[in-house]
Amino acid sequence: MSALAHRRFLKMHGAGNAILVLDLRGTGHRVAAGEARAIAGDPHSRFDQLMVVHDPASPGTDAFLRIYNTDGSESGACGNGTRCVAYAMLDDPAMARPAESGRLTLETRAGLVEVKRVADRSFTVDMGQPRLAWDEIPLRDPFPDTRRIELQIGPIDDPILHSPAAVSMGNPHAIFFVDRDPDGFDLARIGPMLENHPIFPERANISVAQVTGREAIKLRVWERGAGLTLACGTAACATVVAASRLRMIGRAATVSLPGGDLAIEWRADDHVLMTGPVFLEGEGTLAPELFEPAPR
């Protein structure tokens, strides 16, 4: 029987997006891509991101996180999911460990992430420093200036979207700034084409953003490996960085996504802070039949 059979999970969301938190500390089991896809395919455990909590890998950290998209691929960062994990590790009766300070240091493939509680169900996540060089994002072509890169979709003389900013927040992002409501773009159709464009060797999260004020942005996101999402914390961070580099805003903004608002600040020390809520929807257990081989 799979080590995941009957494992308890929490169903949460950070700003509308579906987050599943799975605690595998003490087991040594690592979720395979096929197992992640099976979990995502069950209506009872459907997720946008699966946050798997493992025993710490480095001294001084509280846990190691592995983050899975619905297609079984791994992501280096998920800000909304990280807030949910912090809540679970501090408050959930089965997951909590003593932590009087309300602070956690979590490790991901993208590096260390500091999280602190700022209210009962609100957390600030230090998402680290953005990566702005073309080979760090990464991009296929050596663009000297990633504030605008050469990419468009639609007719050459009348493109639907063009000249996105490129930023990595532990995962690659392309942000198209537009002067009208992002809801007017068919991101469900455009997103998959751009996500898998050859210019992005590791695929990319695709965002359409409208700056609506000096400290306000409206954002819609097609998430790499997951599709249309109600919220994406790393996309919100990448968008504020990109807009600031283009001098559309200062270094902080409220980013409004379909699932809610996130407060983003790109500090002078180059770290990006994201503050937002967490919501607990319930809990469940993984059905054993999800992991049984398909009959021939």
Side-chain angles (χ1 to χ4, degrees):
M1 181 178 292
S2 168
L4 298 180
H6 303 297
R7 297 293 301 190
R8 176 178 178 268
F9 61 79
L10 297 181
K11 292 191 74 169
M12 305 185 69
H13 68 86
N17 54 332
I19 301 294
L20 213 70
V21 179
L22 184 63
D23 188 2
L24 292 184
R25 287 174 293 180
T27 70
H29 183 78
R30 178 172 171 176
V31 175
E35 291 175 321
R37 289 193 295 270
I39 295 169
D42 184 346
H44 299 292
S45 55
R46 188 196 69 80
F47 62 80
D48 292 319
Q49 269 73 42
L50 170 64
M51 310 292 295
V52 183
V53 184
H54 294 276
D55 293 310
S58 301
T61 61
D62 294 287
F64 188 95
L65 300 183
R66 292 195 182 277
I67 305 165
Y68 296 85
N69 300 311
T70 56
D71 66 356
S73 62
E74 286 195 52
S75 178
C78 175
N80 289 321
T82 300
R83 296 198 312 276
C84 292
V85 168
Y87 173 83
M89 290 184 64
L90 292 174
D91 283 10
D92 180 68
M95 287 187 62
R97 305 285 191 271
E100 299 297 330
S101 66
R103 293 175 178 264
L104 295 169
T105 300
L106 305 173
E107 188 174 6
T108 72
R109 290 195 322 170
L112 298 183
V113 179
E114 303 286 340
V115 191
K116 69 174 181 179
R117 166 172 265 146
V118 295
D120 181 44
R121 295 205 178 187
S122 181
F123 293 82
T124 294
V125 182
D126 183 343
M127 299 296 292
Q129 299 170 307
R131 299 170 193 170
L132 306 173
W134 70 272
D135 56 343
E136 294 178 327
I137 292 170
L139 302 173
R140 178 193 61 189
D141 303 328
F143 289 99
D145 185 353
T146 56
R147 289 178 298 177
R148 297 280 194 187
I149 66 170
E150 295 177 17
L151 176 64
Q152 68 178 43
I153 189 164
I156 294 177
D157 57 349
D158 188 23
I160 299 170
L161 294 169
H162 66 91
S163 307
V167 178
S168 173
M169 289 301 311
N171 46 14
H173 291 267
I175 306 103
F176 292 87
F177 289 99
V178 297
D179 57 8
R180 59 187 175 93
D181 193 331
D183 290 341
F185 293 84
D186 188 359
L187 198 52
R189 182 178 65 86
I190 297 169
M193 293 186 283
L194 291 170
E195 173 193 351
N196 295 285
H197 194 283
I199 203 170
F200 304 118
E202 297 179 6
R203 300 184 293 164
N205 298 272
I206 307 300
S207 294
V208 180
Q210 179 190 25
V211 176
T212 57
R214 190 60 185 170
E215 296 182 345
I217 297 174
K218 183 173 182 179
L219 183 67
R220 291 185 69 220
V221 183
W222 175 271
E223 197 158 4
R224 177 186 67 166
L228 279 177
T229 182
L230 293 176
C232 178
T234 57
C237 294
T239 299
V240 168
V241 169
S244 181
R245 294 181 77 207
L246 290 166
R247 302 193 176 182
M248 294 176 167
I249 62 168
R251 296 181 71 92
T254 297
V255 180
S256 297
L257 297 119
D261 293 348
L262 297 173
I264 309 297
E265 178 187 5
W266 187 17
R267 289 191 318 204
D269 66 0
D270 203 31
H271 282 238
V272 182
L273 302 187
M274 175 188 58
T275 301
V278 299
F279 300 90
L280 177 62
E281 295 184 349
E283 62 179 81
T285 57
L286 297 175
E289 55 267 25
L290 292 178
F291 312 106
E292 295 176 355
R296 294 185 177 182

